[in-house]
Amino acid sequence: MTEPVEAEDPGYARFTYRLRVSSTALAKLLGEWDRCRWVWNECTARSKKARAEDDKCGPARLDKMLTEARNHNPWLGDGSSVPQQQLVRDFGKSRAKALKDIQARLPMRQRAGMPKYKKKAKADPSLNYTRRGFRIKDGRLCLAGGISLSVVWSRGLPADPSSVRIYRDSLGHWYASFVVPAEVQPLPETGAAIGIDWGVKETATTTSDAHDLPSPEHGKKAAAKLAHYQRMMVRRKPAKGKPGSRGYRAAKKLTAKLYKKVVRQRQDTGRKWAKQVLRDHDALAVEDFRPKFLAKSTMARKAADAAISATKHELINMARKHQRTLYLVHPSYTTMDCGRCGTRAKHALPLSERTYTCTACGAASPRDKNSAHVMLVRAGLNPAGADRGRPDRPPG
């Protein structure tokens, strides 16, 4: 039986707000980031040396390294210890995950890479502060080290935050991302269930025609403008080792801005659709589809534009928030099984064949609709169906 995704404890949520950074605060933030970047690069160098000498480089040794460095380096000691300690912890988690994948002998494409050096020209600033490293006073965010930031409070925080991450995106905008306990907002019960199958032409095909999600094609609509900006970048590309011109930086910023707009459009579409589905259904049977293999196929661009992973992520998070029962169904043989009688076809259907016809009961339906009904059956939400069971042969 497929197990439901836990929805009783939604855990924690992030509330992100735009920051207005003054020139004084900007200089201090960049100074903190330079120190944190030095700490990360020092951890990376020691980790590589330890691996080469077959030595250990655990969190305790890295913490000791940070303490000694702060005592002997006045420039490093002038900065706050909170973001530096958090960076050491983040480095330890990344390294431990990479070593675990290596010991498990996972394929290279499935492994988490070892931490690498953060270059000043490429790495965007990111500082993590725990509760002892920040406070909110008179609507302003005060960080350790005398840094005061103006926050654009687009909405209120539901509870006191336990930590905050200050970061700068590719457009040069600064944000504060607070971690708070997630709100639980139960919705009225409806007694309805729905099966969801992921696709490319339609991002989500469901057992309810009113809740199908056609591919919005946000990327396709922005493709012409994106190609124009990329041609601008190519024409103004600087020689190797030389800084880019003002025109090159402007074209690069326009490209990043358009990319970010498409990402936000996909997230907004996914959230609105997920909220509509959860408002009308108590239980959901969702295909546990991982579209990584599509990245190497001829449908790579369409699959990326459909944003299946982002939509699925929003659906799962919103199900936890609203305490709906959600089942993740394994996708194997979902296009071969009949959603009505459970009979499995002898051969897989080619992608060009969009209608599924059962050889046992004679039921015919669109291929993706049949797969959505199979999700319901496998999750046990359709009493009239059969869970991958084959019908009895007629006598004689």
Side-chain angles (χ1 to χ4, degrees):
M1 176 65 71
T2 304
E3 294 295 331
V5 175
E6 292 295 333
E8 289 77 8
D9 182 14
Y12 294 88
R14 283 193 174 272
F15 282 68
T16 304
Y17 303 86
R18 180 80 178 270
L19 294 175
R20 305 298 184 192
V21 183
S22 64
S23 58
T24 304
L26 178 62
K28 291 183 179 180
L29 282 175
L30 293 180
E32 291 286 0
W33 170 241
D34 287 339
R35 297 181 182 92
C36 289
R37 193 171 56 83
W38 184 92
V39 172
W40 179 279
N41 291 342
E42 184 68 16
C43 292
T44 304
R46 298 208 176 197
S47 175
K48 288 188 175 183
K49 184 179 179 181
R51 288 193 66 196
E53 298 176 356
D54 198 17
D55 194 8
K56 294 183 178 180
C57 185
R61 184 169 295 186
L62 293 177
D63 285 338
K64 184 179 179 181
M65 177 274 297
L66 177 60
T67 303
E68 294 176 352
R70 286 180 58 85
N71 291 334
H72 293 87
N73 190 337
W75 169 76
L76 191 64
D78 288 342
S80 172
S81 62
V82 177
Q84 297 174 16
Q85 290 173 346
Q86 292 303 310
L87 208 69
V88 169
R89 288 176 173 81
D90 293 342
F91 179 88
K93 291 178 182 178
S94 301
R95 186 176 183 273
K97 180 170 176 53
L99 291 176
K100 184 178 179 181
D101 291 348
I102 292 173
Q103 293 174 356
R105 296 183 179 181
L106 294 177
M108 289 297 295
R109 58 186 175 83
Q110 297 181 6
R111 294 182 187 178
M114 292 294 291
K116 299 180 180 180
Y117 292 105
K118 291 184 181 292
K119 298 182 180 179
K120 185 175 183 179
K122 294 184 178 181
D124 287 321
S126 179
L127 305 169
N128 292 318
Y129 291 85
T130 55
R131 197 68 189 90
R132 66 188 182 92
F134 75 96
R135 62 174 178 166
I136 300 174
K137 183 179 180 181
D138 297 330
R140 296 182 66 86
L141 176 61
C142 302
L143 303 176
I147 304 175
S148 180
L149 303 172
S150 177
V151 185
V152 181
W153 297 106
S154 55
R155 52 180 173 170
L157 286 171
D160 291 334
S162 59
S163 64
V164 64
R165 181 165 67 96
I166 310 298
Y167 67 94
R168 187 183 68 189
D169 66 0
S170 57
L171 298 178
H173 300 159
W174 287 87
Y175 294 89
S177 181
F178 296 94
V179 176
V180 298
E183 293 181 289
V184 177
Q185 301 176 356
L187 292 172
E189 295 185 2
T190 63
I194 189 172
I196 301 174
D197 177 75
W198 305 111
V200 174
K201 186 176 180 181
E202 289 192 346
T203 303
T205 302
T206 68
T207 52
S208 170
D209 293 337
H211 295 86
D212 289 348
L213 177 64
S215 180
E217 297 183 341
H218 295 303
K220 184 178 180 180
K221 295 173 184 175
K225 191 178 290 187
L226 179 62
H228 173 65
Y229 293 152
Q230 289 175 336
R231 285 194 296 269
M232 289 172 59
M233 289 179 61
V234 171
R235 288 196 301 267
R236 303 169 184 180
K237 186 176 180 180
K240 188 175 182 181
K242 294 186 177 182
S245 64
R246 184 181 298 176
Y248 175 79
R249 294 196 300 270
K252 187 176 180 180
K253 188 172 182 178
L254 288 171
T255 305
K257 189 175 182 179
L258 186 57
Y259 268 121
K260 192 160 191 176
K261 178 182 177 181
V262 172
V263 170
R264 285 174 171 171
Q265 285 176 329
R266 290 168 178 166
Q267 289 179 344
D268 182 65
T269 301
R271 286 172 184 169
K272 289 178 179 177
W273 173 80
K275 188 63 176 286
Q276 181 185 3
V277 171
L278 291 167
R279 189 182 290 114
D280 299 337
H281 301 88
D282 291 342
L284 300 86
V286 182
E287 180 185 11
D288 192 11
F289 182 60
R290 294 175 174 85
K292 278 188 176 181
F293 73 95
L294 290 177
K296 299 181 180 179
S297 68
T298 57
M299 297 186 295
R301 180 171 295 182
K302 290 184 178 180
D305 200 8
I308 298 173
S309 295
T311 308
K312 176 184 168 187
H313 179 74
E314 296 295 341
L315 189 66
I316 293 174
N317 286 346
M318 208 160 281
R320 289 194 177 104
K321 178 180 178 181
H322 297 296
Q323 291 189 323
R324 295 302 203 194
T325 304
L326 186 143
Y327 297 86
L328 290 176
V329 182
H330 197 277
S332 59
Y333 302 109
T334 52
T335 58
M336 298 172 62
D337 289 356
C338 177
R340 181 178 176 183
C341 67
T343 302
R344 179 170 296 170
K346 294 182 179 180
H347 305 285
L349 273 70
L351 287 174
S352 58
E353 190 172 341
R354 306 310 301 171
T355 302
Y356 178 88
T357 303
C358 181
T359 57
C361 65
S365 62
R367 173 192 181 120
D368 294 337
K369 285 288 182 183
N370 176 74
S371 298
H373 281 282
V374 171
M375 303 301 161
L376 274 180
V377 172
R378 290 192 181 180
L381 301 176
N382 185 10
D387 188 2
R388 293 180 60 181
R390 299 185 180 275
D392 298 331
R393 293 185 178 180

